[in-house]
Amino acid sequence: MAHRVTIEPFGFSAATAAVHGRIATAATSAMRDTTPDAKAELRAQIVDAGLGERLAKTWTDKVYPRTGDSPEPAGYIQSRASEIIESYEKGATIVASGGRKFLAIPSADCPRHRQGNAFTPEEVEERFGKRLVFIAASDSGFSTPSIRHSTAVGYLVLKGLVVRKATGRWRGASERERAGRTRNPRPVQSVIMFTLVRSVKKPKLLDLEGPARRWADNWSLEFARRLEDG
């Protein structure tokens, strides 16, 4: 006959449950506290790079479990504009798509919306009531007050503009201004609205690995601190 001896230490189950609960509480609270800080660092990085508040706010965060505690919590930070973020992280090369040969890069003279984003070629034509004219970059006879670029293939230009004295912005010249029959004549100019290029190499402006490492380190420190304090 086989004999079996078993022991059941008094209170052992309760003790292990308590330890498990302390670990779960410390791990989850540390995750909930460090995740928003990591998101804030990622958002600040975008603003500091000059990419704007709108793109920065695409970073969102979640911590699981949503309620209660777990010894293995998870924190997630993701962007709703992941393709844009990735392009500035890796320094992507952008080329024209949809059958187009060139990219149209807004010039410093191109009008902007209140949010800061430039008008599209269609919006520029609608604003001024004029058609944009293609000028080859190699055209030595083309005169403009706008800045030219060495990588340009050509330009989309609006002709017959004068600058507003009050704002410094461009507007269409009147018939009298084009004929030079005004009291204080202003030069009628051909202004570059868009620079045409074959491709654009985005600069590497974002570092996602650094904030991720600091997030992991901060979580470990906070977890250990909470475990000791508990």
Side-chain angles (χ1 to χ4, degrees):
M1 179 181 296
H3 295 276
R4 178 181 299 167
V5 178
T6 61
I7 60 171
E8 295 182 2
F10 177 74
F12 181 75
S13 297
T16 55
V19 170
H20 185 276
R22 283 180 55 201
I23 292 173
T25 299
T28 305
S29 62
M31 186 64 73
R32 286 174 179 151
D33 283 353
T34 57
T35 300
D37 291 340
K39 179 187 69 176
E41 181 180 355
L42 289 167
R43 286 184 170 184
Q45 188 181 113
I46 289 178
V47 174
D48 291 345
L51 300 177
E53 290 277 357
R54 185 176 181 181
L55 182 61
K57 289 180 179 179
T58 64
W59 282 117
T60 60
D61 66 290
K62 289 182 180 179
V63 173
Y64 296 96
R66 305 300 294 271
T67 59
D69 298 324
S70 169
E72 296 181 350
Y76 296 92
I77 301 177
Q78 61 183 5
S79 171
R80 296 190 299 272
S82 57
E83 291 184 0
I84 297 175
I85 296 293
E86 185 178 0
S87 70
Y88 282 110
E89 180 198 10
K90 295 182 177 179
T93 298
I94 302 174
V95 297
S97 60
R100 297 181 177 90
K101 294 182 178 180
F102 309 119
L103 296 171
I105 309 302
S107 74
D109 293 309
C110 183
R112 258 69 179 172
H113 294 283
R114 289 184 178 180
Q115 300 88 340
N117 53 314
F119 279 32
T120 65
E122 292 79 10
E123 289 172 332
V124 168
E125 290 183 336
E126 183 178 354
R127 162 67 69 87
F128 289 91
K130 294 173 174 286
R131 296 299 301 271
L132 288 161
V133 178
F134 172 79
I135 302 292
S138 58
D139 187 344
S140 59
F142 173 54
S143 176
T144 179
S146 303
I147 298 173
R148 302 190 192 215
H149 295 275
S150 59
T151 58
V153 176
Y155 303 101
L156 294 181
V157 174
L158 280 183
K159 295 185 175 182
L161 302 186
V162 294
V163 69
R164 297 177 188 270
K165 290 183 178 180
T167 64
R169 298 174 182 173
W170 295 101
R171 65 169 175 81
S174 66
E175 289 186 14
R176 288 174 57 82
E177 286 172 324
R178 289 195 298 271
R181 297 198 304 268
T182 57
R183 179 177 299 178
N184 298 306
R186 279 173 274 180
V188 179
Q189 307 275 15
S190 295
V191 181
I192 296 173
M193 292 290 158
F194 298 91
T195 299
L196 301 178
V197 296
R198 297 189 186 279
S199 63
V200 171
K201 175 72 173 178
K202 282 191 175 183
K204 294 182 180 181
L205 298 178
L206 303 179
D207 168 31
L208 305 187
E209 293 184 1
R213 286 194 302 269
R214 285 186 286 277
W215 180 18
D217 292 342
N218 290 338
W219 178 85
S220 297
L221 291 171
E222 286 299 313
F223 171 63
R225 185 181 66 79
R226 283 166 166 77
L227 211 54
E228 290 177 2
D229 294 344

